[in-house]
Amino acid sequence: MEQWLWPSGGAWLLVAARALLQLLRADLRLGRPLLAALALLAALDWLCQRLLPPLAALALLAAAGWISLSCLARSPLLPVATRTVLITGCDSGFGKETAKKLDAMGFTVLATVLDLESPGALELRACCSPHLKLLQMDMTKPADISRALEFTKAHTSSTGLWGLVNNAGLNNVVADAELSPVAMFRTCMEVNFFGTLQLTKGLLPLLRRSRGRIVTLGSPAGDMPFPCLGAYGTSKAAMLMLMDTFSSELVPWGVKVSVIQPGCFKTGSLNSVNCWERSKQLLLANLPQELLHAYGEDYIEHLHRQFLQSLSLAVPDLSPVVDAIVEALLATQPQHRYYPGRGVGLMYFIHYYLPQSLRRRFLQAFFINPCVPRALRPGKPGPTPTQDEAQESDPNPGPPSTVSQ
């Protein structure tokens, strides 16, 4: 028995030694994840010493240490050299900050903006080097995307295109899926999915030639059913599946695909309280009377207040997301998913491992907890009002209009 155990123990010692050397060469970020991993390994060591034979304990501890610390180790970064990256949605938020960061690192940055005279575009012109090029592009207009493709090909003829950062995104409604106009679902899909699809497909010949990178800004709302984000979440879910497909199909070409799933950060769209007020008023103005009776105007007002309250907790420092984008572009072995932001890890743990009722309650406590619709409150009329009731609530009834932005 001893002759059989010793070679196994010796092999594990060799594995542990090699793993230790690799981790010593790796770039480990000192922070809560590393401290938590070390604490868990210490607890595992304590248990192994009391429950397992010495060699088995060593084998288990070496394997657990290698797996956990390898996940925390940063992959070595490639040199910037003369790499060119296209970033969409640089008017504000992650796109603007990433463009500034990559320009400072020495990249040639092609930054698309919705408006060349927007404050974000003017800021990029003022603070970045001449290597940064601005281009107007609306993700809902195929002609704009085609023009961006030609612009990119012309500016990368000598250097090639190393990376595409799909940052441009849109959320134009916060309401139950039943209350959200179909036109707003379509608008979210046009920007978050179809525009991203057309641009990415158009740039794949350049990215295959350079064996480059595709980095896309996703959202946890594409993985889990956040209350009142049906239009946005479904478009992000479609985009995530698209990126997973690209990730699999482009392996033979050497193109690596990463998705950033950030927590709640203060980006340009989230900072505009007036924009969300207009969106709420637009929703109320075009809501069919039957739905307005069933849910009540106070229900939508409550959603709006809860949403604005959740925005007040957003993190103003965008650097964790920007750093994740940089790592996805330059790491020799980039991760398939990045989860920057406070509480994102806990959110996904709850989503994957706890019962559905607890998952729903967590998302309601974390984001929006809707009140009871008017028709379901005690002493209120049923969900389908009579014609007389509808006329009393709307003295000038008419066909509801659908608004698309």
Side-chain angles (χ1 to χ4, degrees):
M1 179 65 69
E2 291 179 357
Q3 291 180 350
W4 180 80
L5 280 175
W6 175 247
S8 177
W12 275 108
L13 283 171
L14 182 60
V15 171
R18 288 178 176 174
L20 181 60
L21 287 175
Q22 290 179 355
L23 291 173
L24 287 174
R25 297 192 189 105
D27 180 10
L28 284 172
R29 290 163 282 191
L30 181 61
R32 292 180 182 176
L34 178 58
L35 295 177
L38 294 175
L40 290 174
L41 288 175
L44 181 62
D45 178 49
W46 184 85
L47 288 173
C48 288
Q49 290 180 20
R50 285 154 179 78
L51 300 176
L52 298 176
L55 291 178
L58 177 63
L60 179 60
L61 191 63
W66 182 78
I67 292 173
S68 59
L69 296 181
S70 295
C71 292
L72 295 173
R74 298 181 67 179
S75 177
L77 299 183
L78 299 169
V80 174
T82 58
R83 302 181 196 274
T84 301
V85 174
L86 172 68
I87 310 172
T88 64
C90 295
D91 297 86
S92 62
F94 301 134
K96 185 184 72 173
E97 296 304 316
T98 301
K100 291 162 64 175
K101 173 77 170 182
L102 296 184
D103 178 74
M105 293 175 65
F107 281 90
T108 297
V109 178
L110 308 179
T112 76
V113 293
L114 190 60
D115 182 1
L116 288 172
E117 300 303 320
S118 67
L122 297 177
E123 180 181 343
L124 290 176
R125 279 201 194 96
C127 70
C128 293
S129 74
H131 295 292
L132 184 140
K133 309 293 183 184
L134 287 175
L135 173 67
Q136 189 278 331
M137 184 177 71
D138 185 338
M139 294 291 285
T140 65
K141 297 180 179 178
D144 280 14
I145 298 176
S146 298
R147 183 161 45 86
L149 294 175
E150 295 303 320
F151 179 89
T152 304
K153 293 173 184 177
H155 283 78
T156 58
S157 56
S158 58
T159 61
L161 179 68
W162 171 251
L164 165 64
V165 179
N166 289 310
N167 168 71
L170 172 71
N171 179 25
N172 56 1
V173 61
V174 176
D176 292 42
E178 187 180 15
L179 301 178
S180 304
V182 174
M184 293 186 176
F185 276 84
R186 289 198 177 100
T187 303
C188 283
M189 288 295 293
E190 284 294 334
V191 176
N192 300 336
F193 179 75
F194 287 111
T196 299
L197 171 63
Q198 182 182 352
L199 182 66
T200 305
K201 280 174 60 68
L203 293 176
L204 280 182
L206 298 178
L207 294 168
R208 286 191 285 103
R209 195 173 305 137
S210 66
R211 301 175 68 86
R213 305 292 168 83
I214 300 172
V215 183
T216 301
L217 271 292
S219 169
D223 282 327
M224 53 193 81
F226 273 70
C228 304
L229 290 185
Y232 179 71
T234 51
S235 66
K236 285 294 186 178
M239 185 274 298
L240 288 172
M241 180 55 69
L242 174 66
M243 291 302 139
D244 285 343
T245 302
F246 279 142
S247 178
S248 176
E249 295 176 348
L250 295 175
V251 167
W253 299 96
V255 177
K256 294 181 171 62
V257 180
S258 298
V259 174
I260 315 294
Q261 299 284 75
C264 189
F265 290 87
K266 282 189 177 179
T267 58
S269 60
L270 296 187
N271 285 331
S272 179
V273 176
N274 292 334
C275 174
W276 291 113
E277 179 64 28
R278 289 194 299 272
S279 176
K280 181 198 69 176
Q281 296 298 336
L282 189 65
L283 177 68
L284 286 170
N286 292 278
L287 199 64
Q289 286 302 305
E290 190 276 330
L291 287 180
L292 191 58
H293 269 275
Y295 283 86
E297 184 174 342
D298 59 332
Y299 179 90
I300 298 174
E301 293 286 354
H302 175 79
L303 297 182
H304 180 69
R305 288 194 302 270
Q306 292 250 308
F307 177 65
L308 293 183
Q309 182 179 355
S310 71
L311 296 189
S312 66
L313 304 177
V315 179
D317 179 16
L318 307 185
S319 61
V321 178
V322 175
D323 291 342
I325 294 172
V326 171
E327 182 174 328
L329 287 170
L330 290 179
T332 55
Q333 294 296 329
Q335 300 176 31
H336 184 55
R337 290 280 196 275
Y338 290 86
Y339 301 96
R342 295 183 309 199
V344 180
L346 174 63
M347 186 187 307
Y348 275 90
F349 176 84
I350 292 173
H351 176 67
Y352 286 123
Y353 298 110
L354 295 189
Q356 182 180 7
S357 59
L358 293 180
R359 298 200 302 264
R360 183 180 67 253
R361 291 176 187 174
F362 172 78
L363 289 177
Q364 290 174 346
F366 176 79
F367 188 57
I368 291 177
N369 188 11
C371 63
V372 178
R374 175 192 292 172
L376 299 180
R377 297 169 198 165
K380 295 295 181 179
T384 305
T386 64
Q387 184 177 2
D388 292 338
E389 290 172 335
Q391 290 177 349
E392 288 175 2
S393 64
D394 185 6
N396 298 303
S401 61
T402 301
V403 178
S404 176
Q405 293 181 342

